[in-house]
Amino acid sequence: MRHFSYDSDLTGGSLMVRESRVIADLLLKEATPEEWLDAIQTDNRLQKPTAATARRIAQSIRKRLERMEPSFWQVIRDGDDELATQASFCAVLERNLLLVEFIESVLRDAFVTQAGKLHVWQWNDFLDERAHKDSALADWSMTTKRKTGQVAFRILAEVGLLTDTRSLTLQHLLVRPEVRVLLDDTYRHRIRSCLEVSGATAG
């Protein structure tokens, strides 16, 4: 029996929309390995302080975007900031079942009960509860739990489901129709439900 693993990449960074536009452009242009090297390290298109950081971030974003269809890459590269942000959020969710389940349980419940805000401890409680599915979560250090929580809350704030990362106040997200169409066309109904979580009601 295969052991279940969340295989989360939340330690890799939040939405990184500006950087995602660069990676989407390279994917759309079907860049060769040499062209990737030139863009990321020689030209430093991600505008990072070191080549190692640029490589790490490029790899993280590429792994997210490669799970999506070119139609998402197009929107991330050419869309306005709000559209590119929501499409990047879809890619993060596709890569991170852990965040999907946090939205489906903790965040949804907060909207349904009109809690008004989230709390930092809810991320740790969520990880403890999910450890029954993936025992590796129980081995995470407090530093890893804290960092993944910070990134998760930053992602939710960047897409607009939270007002900011300090107060963690809930905020209604108006999902762009272009994103709804992309998700419906690729049968990503679970991800669409995550984007629409601020409209959740009891029942």
Side-chain angles (χ1 to χ4, degrees):
M1 182 176 174
R2 185 175 179 273
H3 175 69
F4 173 81
S5 173
Y6 277 107
D7 186 33
S8 170
D9 83 334
L10 290 178
T11 54
S14 56
L15 293 187
M16 300 181 285
V17 178
R18 178 184 60 79
E19 295 89 342
S20 293
R21 289 185 187 273
V22 174
I23 303 303
D25 180 59
L26 292 169
L27 290 171
L28 285 165
K29 291 177 177 176
E30 299 182 356
T32 64
E34 293 76 17
E35 289 169 336
W36 275 91
L37 190 65
D38 285 343
I40 303 304
Q41 292 190 221
T42 307
D43 299 337
N44 192 21
R45 289 183 59 188
L46 297 185
Q47 300 174 26
K48 299 304 170 186
T50 68
T53 299
R55 283 196 306 271
R56 177 180 59 78
I57 290 175
Q59 183 180 44
S60 178
I61 296 173
R62 184 174 185 176
K63 285 183 177 179
R64 292 174 177 179
L65 297 191
E66 283 184 334
R67 293 177 176 236
M68 314 303 285
E69 290 73 14
S71 54
F72 284 90
W73 306 344
Q74 192 90 40
V75 164
I76 290 172
R77 186 187 71 178
D78 303 332
D80 58 60
D81 286 344
E82 182 183 65
L83 191 54
T85 296
Q86 291 189 12
S88 296
F89 183 54
C90 293
V92 168
L93 294 178
E94 182 73 23
R95 178 73 177 83
N96 287 280
L97 177 62
L98 195 62
L99 184 57
V100 168
E101 292 187 359
F102 181 75
I103 292 170
E104 291 174 335
S105 55
V106 179
L107 187 58
R108 184 183 187 280
D109 183 66
F111 276 111
V112 168
T113 60
Q114 299 181 359
K117 62 180 293 186
L118 293 182
H119 301 275
V120 173
W121 58 261
Q122 288 176 289
W123 178 256
N124 289 338
D125 281 7
F126 168 75
L127 292 180
D128 290 343
E129 191 271 327
R130 296 294 147 155
H132 75 276
K133 290 178 65 176
D134 181 0
S135 58
L137 296 182
D139 298 328
W140 279 13
S141 67
M142 284 307 300
T143 300
T144 299
K145 289 181 178 180
R146 183 171 61 251
K147 181 172 182 180
T148 53
Q150 289 171 342
V151 173
F153 290 133
R154 191 181 314 131
I155 287 170
L156 296 176
E158 287 173 349
V159 79
L161 286 165
L162 299 176
T163 57
D164 56 75
T165 56
R166 291 178 64 85
S167 70
L168 302 182
T169 301
L170 302 179
Q171 183 170 258
H172 182 76
L173 175 65
L174 185 63
V175 183
R176 291 283 290 266
E178 302 97 319
V179 173
R180 294 180 195 269
V181 169
L182 285 173
L183 293 171
D184 287 347
D185 286 350
T186 54
Y187 304 101
R188 288 188 171 89
H189 307 305
R190 190 175 185 181
I191 289 180
R192 174 170 171 169
S193 294
C194 285
L195 268 78
E196 296 174 338
V197 69
S198 59
T201 56

